[in-house]
Every structure is written in structure tokens, then in C-alpha cells.
Amino acid sequence: MPTLFQKIMAGEILAEIIYEDEWVVAFKDISPQAPFHVLLVPREPIVDLSQAADKDSAMLGRLFIAARNIARKEPSAAGGFRLVLNNGKAAGQEVPHLHVHMLAGREMGWPPG
Ligand code: 5GP
């Protein structure tokens, strides 16, 4: 069964895609928690970080490179941005396809909720 995010990447479910490369697709979150909120999703449908293998190191690195590339072009990220990875139910993960939240455009509190 394809994941929700695979369906978005395949164009079966609409989303505003703002970035893509060989490894990663990024699109706007349907329920934004900041003025700028996108999800960085690897094309490979790995469930979560806990299930990543050593061989996934390039893909994991490319998630950060994608965030860097987006930040270079996104004005609201100029003053700072936050990356969040929810791993597992207790951390709030709802979609079983590894993804990183990228948030910007407002002051961020610490510790996160
Ligand atoms: P998680 O809670 O798994 O870390 O994050 C999943 C994210 O996916 C949530 O922030 C949620 O708003 C977002 N989301 C859920 N369904 C959709 C959808 O159909 N389209 C988009 N663009 N985002 C979604």
C-alpha cells in the first residue's frame, strides 16, 4: 500500500510542492503550525528514523541538504528555521513515512511541546 506521502508525490493527492530533487520532495503541510511549514519527505518510503539502516545515510543527509536549499530561497527562513522529526506515536508521528517538518516565520519556543 502506498503511503499518503507517496500518493502526494505521485500526484494522486494534491499538495503544494515547493521543492524536489533526486532524493527528496518538499510540500506545504495541510495544517501549518507556522507561517512557513513544509514537510521534507524522502522518495523512499521508509517508515521512521528508527527503521533507517546504515545504507540510508545518503538519503538522511539529503533531507538536511534539501532543508538548506529551501532555506536559501525562502525569505521567512532568513531569520532562522526549525527542523522537527517525530519518530513514533509518543512523539506525535501520524504518517508512517519518514519526514522532517521545516518551520519558519515566527518565534519558536523552547522546549517544544
Ligand atoms: P507527523 O505528525 O506524522 O509528524 O506529521 C504529519 C504531518 O502531515 C502533519 O503535520 C499533517 O498536518 C500533515 N498532513 C496530513 N495529511 C496531509 C495531507 O493530505 N496533505 C498535506 N500536505 N499534509 C498532510
Side-chain angles (χ1 to χ4, degrees):
M1 280 287 285
T3 67
L4 170 66
F5 292 163
Q6 279 178 295
K7 289 180 184 169
I8 287 175
M9 289 189 277
E12 293 165 19
I13 293 175
L14 276 186
E16 191 177 344
I17 294 174
I18 63 134
Y19 173 90
E20 49 187 323
D21 64 29
E22 185 188 347
W23 299 81
V24 177
V25 178
F27 47 86
K28 293 205 172 163
D29 196 293
I30 202 169
S31 177
Q33 301 303 308
F36 181 79
H37 183 178
V38 298
L39 302 171
L40 307 167
V41 182
R43 291 185 186 276
E44 186 186 336
I46 182 173
V47 171
D48 59 23
L49 186 61
S50 296
Q51 297 198 25
D54 287 1
K55 69 172 176 55
D56 295 321
S57 59
M59 175 269 282
L60 294 171
R62 290 303 304 198
L63 287 167
F64 284 93
I65 293 298
R68 180 206 65 184
N69 290 342
I70 293 166
R72 283 179 175 170
K73 292 193 168 171
E74 170 53 39
S76 67
F81 60 91
R82 179 170 288 176
L83 302 179
V84 175
L85 192 162
N86 296 325
N87 189 101
K89 201 174 172 193
Q93 183 178 4
E94 291 175 356
V95 179
H97 183 147
L98 177 71
H99 54 281
V100 177
H101 297 255
M102 181 174 184
L103 303 122
R106 66 166 169 81
E107 290 294 315
M108 304 283 167
W110 194 264

